[in-house]
Amino acid sequence: MARAAAAAATSTTYGARDHARAQAGARAEAMPVVPATDWPAPPCEAGHLVWAETVAGGGYTHRAVARGTEIRLTDLRGDACAHLLLHVDGRPWERLNTADTVKVQWNAYLGAGRLLLSDQGRVLASLVTDTTGGRHDALCGTSTLRRNTERYGDGAPHSATPAGRELLKLAALKHGLEPRDLPPSVSFFQGVEVREDGALAFTGSYGPGGSVTLRAEQDLTVLIANVPHPLDPRPAYTSTPLEVLAWAAGPTPPGDPVREATPEARRAFLNTEEALASRGIR
Amino acid sequence: MNAVTVPATTRGSVVVPARAAWSAVVRRGEHLTLTDLGGNQAVDFLVYDAHDTAVRYSAPDTLQAQGTIFLTTGSVLLSNEHTPLMTVTEDTCGRHDTLGGACSKESNTLRYGHHTWSQHACVDNFLSEGARHGLGKRDLVSNINWYMNVPVEEDGTLGIVDGLSAPGLRVTLRAETDVLVLVSNCPQINNPCNGFDPTPVEMTITGSGS
């Protein structure tokens, strides 16, 4: 009956237009809020929000952000996993390099104070806060169509169990990038530790409400897939919403502990600022 | 889709000089043996599906599948689509790195200082050798470092330490599909990955493929 009524209401162009427009203002659990300043509860330290979104479990998002933007990712219910890639916006051949990120900083783990380094000896983003105690992973990357098909029966983006790489491909394609522009990614909110013998141990989630804040140190293209960690041993595809909030804050200033923590970090910031300055960017 | 020409036969041995690059297509079923001639040489290694180079070695997929950061006999090198590229069929060294990636002139400025800028580095080898096959910078990803020793401490501290290799130790890989292999015989002189002394390695391709 309802179906028949809807068909009648949309049987003309005017009716179809009215029907579509009547959806305005509808709310879903996972959606962007535009303008972002309409987000109901911005963090108190945020200026005007420029990106406010809840990403569904099994979903993805992408955005270009300016140098100095802070991006807070929050695991709302404890089963988010934010698989992240960063490219310099407009110069995508400079991109996240996970090997340099762990090697240059002499540490395999991500956490507050660490830098996400590009392959050009420069900083892409700083990790300025982390309430999870480092439940993140820079080693295992994301899931693939083949792997999710083996584990869950499907990994296609339209399936109930989408693979991270498939979603990151879509996000990349929307920025003019191709699958071969996707290097190994990092992920937040599901931890992995390396044992003494080299074995990898999944440590899982910190729990609901954990958050990290990244600060963009260059103009960036941000690609995020919110899918289960590839080492998550649970048979079910369990993926819950991820909150993304971003606001303009300014790049890490001279004297900041993040940049003075190590000689490697100090040189990474100096390289970044000099490369920007020679392009006329402060 | 970028494919490279797969030669009918390219068998035999070649010595790759210290600091130099090398590449070859290894056909499905053939074996590639890397022999550390001088000992403690780091051999930076990337591998691509020869018929679609967008499918290439993935350190994360390889680690996920094996549950360990170290490679040895039986380890399968997986692609970014989680498909097998090569399998380690023999390893007389026992310790190889999957985390550290390649040295570059750019990362050297962070790791050691700007005085290293004029030194040769593995990324430059990968770029120049890859360009011969139509590959560019976007095709370079985290690589394997055969014979390089990178332990991880309990607090996550990680670093390149003295190697465990010695003259004559070798690794043999079987190609699971037609693959393009890119090698940089690491020129690094600022850390112990090659004992601060780059030396030659020997590459041997055997078998008729299938």
Side-chain angles (χ1 to χ4, degrees):
Chain A
M1 187 68 181
R3 188 186 177 100
T10 54
S11 61
T12 68
T13 50
Y14 307 103
R17 183 178 64 191
D18 291 345
H19 175 265
R21 287 180 173 173
Q23 296 184 45
R27 298 296 297 252
E29 181 187 36
M31 62 180 284
V33 169
V34 181
T37 47
D38 284 354
W39 186 260
C44 59
E45 68 272 40
H48 287 302
L49 290 177
V50 297
W51 183 7
E53 178 170 358
T54 307
V55 182
Y60 74 99
T61 189
H62 55 92
R63 188 72 75 97
V65 303
R67 167 168 157 84
T69 304
E70 289 189 350
I71 307 161
R72 175 163 302 169
L73 307 177
T74 303
D75 177 3
L76 293 174
R77 288 191 219 141
D79 274 314
C81 189
H83 299 261
L84 178 93
L85 279 175
L86 302 174
H87 297 73
V88 174
D89 191 44
R91 293 189 296 113
W93 48 89
E94 181 173 354
R95 64 191 188 190
L96 178 67
N97 185 315
T98 55
D100 281 356
T101 293
V102 301
K103 174 176 64 183
V104 169
Q105 298 184 92
W106 298 87
N107 201 290
Y109 301 145
L110 300 173
R114 295 252 193 271
L115 310 177
L116 297 177
L117 296 173
S118 84
D119 57 7
Q120 290 299 295
R122 300 192 276 255
V123 188
L124 294 174
S126 322
L127 255 162
V128 292
T129 68
D130 173 19
T131 71
T132 76
R135 291 290 183 99
H136 314 301
D137 173 35
L139 307 182
C140 293
T142 191
S143 53
T144 52
L145 176 62
R146 178 186 162 107
R147 190 177 171 289
N148 275 25
T149 302
E150 288 169 358
R151 283 199 64 183
Y152 307 115
D154 203 348
H158 62 268
S159 74
T161 53
R165 181 167 166 81
E166 296 303 294
L167 300 180
L168 290 173
K169 280 180 190 171
L170 291 175
L173 287 160
K174 291 179 180 180
H175 289 267
L177 305 173
E178 296 175 17
R180 67 180 180 144
D181 294 305
L182 301 178
S185 53
V186 294
S187 62
F188 295 102
F189 304 125
Q190 303 288 336
V192 173
E193 290 178 357
V194 182
R195 302 296 189 222
E196 193 178 352
D197 62 356
L200 292 162
F202 181 69
T203 57
S205 170
Y206 162 82
S211 74
V212 295
T213 307
L214 306 169
R215 182 184 289 149
E217 307 290 356
Q218 302 193 55
D219 293 351
L220 298 177
T221 305
V222 179
L223 312 179
I224 300 173
N226 179 27
V227 299
H229 189 280
L231 290 191
D232 190 329
R234 293 174 294 180
Y237 183 100
T238 304
S239 182
T240 55
L242 170 76
E243 182 183 280
V244 182
L245 299 178
W247 56 89
T252 300
D256 189 284
V258 167
R259 57 186 288 159
E260 302 299 337
T262 66
E264 295 83 12
R266 188 166 169 274
R267 288 195 285 267
F269 275 97
L270 289 174
N271 280 357
T272 307
E273 284 157 6
E274 195 145 278
L276 292 169
S278 67
R279 299 168 67 86
I281 302 165
R282 293 284 167 186
Chain B
M1 190 161 78
N2 188 16
V4 299
T5 305
V6 180
T9 51
T10 316
R11 310 318 75 182
S13 291
V14 60
V15 172
V16 181
R19 301 158 41 90
W22 177 84
S23 63
V25 171
V26 185
R27 295 173 66 204
R28 179 169 180 269
E30 292 179 335
H31 289 76
L32 169 65
T33 298
L34 300 78
T35 305
D36 186 2
L37 297 177
N40 278 341
Q41 177 59 24
V43 184
D44 288 45
F45 183 97
L46 280 170
V47 54
Y48 302 78
D49 183 324
H51 301 289
D52 180 3
T53 55
V55 177
R56 72 279 303 262
Y57 172 69
S58 167
D61 284 273
T62 302
L63 267 54
Q64 282 175 33
Q66 296 173 153
T68 172
I69 61 171
F70 298 125
L71 301 175
T72 189
T73 307
S75 299
V76 181
L77 313 187
L78 291 182
S79 78
N80 52 4
E81 300 292 357
H82 219 74
T83 54
L85 295 171
M86 302 187 92
T87 300
V88 180
T89 57
E90 184 188 31
D91 171 24
T92 63
C93 176
R95 180 58 67 92
H96 311 279
D97 166 60
T98 57
L99 304 185
C103 63
S104 68
K105 292 164 69 71
E106 292 78 15
S107 71
N108 282 348
T109 71
L110 304 187
R111 297 165 71 199
Y112 313 109
H114 290 91
H115 65 284
T116 61
W117 178 253
S118 63
Q119 297 171 5
H120 192 48
C122 283
V123 166
D124 286 17
N125 273 345
F126 279 145
L127 286 171
S128 54
E129 192 69 22
R132 298 179 56 224
H133 302 281
L135 301 176
K137 185 170 172 304
R138 61 204 297 208
D139 298 301
L140 300 190
V141 289
S142 301
N143 57 281
I144 295 166
N145 295 297
W146 299 111
Y147 308 109
M148 195 164 96
N149 187 9
V150 180
V152 178
E153 312 291 346
E154 196 173 338
D155 65 356
T157 299
L158 148 169
I160 301 166
V161 300
D162 291 342
L164 303 175
S165 187
L169 296 188
R170 63 189 182 275
V171 176
T172 299
L173 301 150
R174 180 181 64 231
E176 303 299 351
T177 187
D178 296 343
V179 294
L180 169 67
V181 171
L182 284 190
V183 161
S184 169
N185 197 18
C186 186
Q188 185 61 258
I189 53 172
N190 301 287
N191 75 45
C193 71
N194 44 25
F196 304 91
D197 178 25
T199 50
V201 293
E202 184 179 59
M203 301 291 171
T204 306
I205 299 175
T206 55
S208 56
S210 63

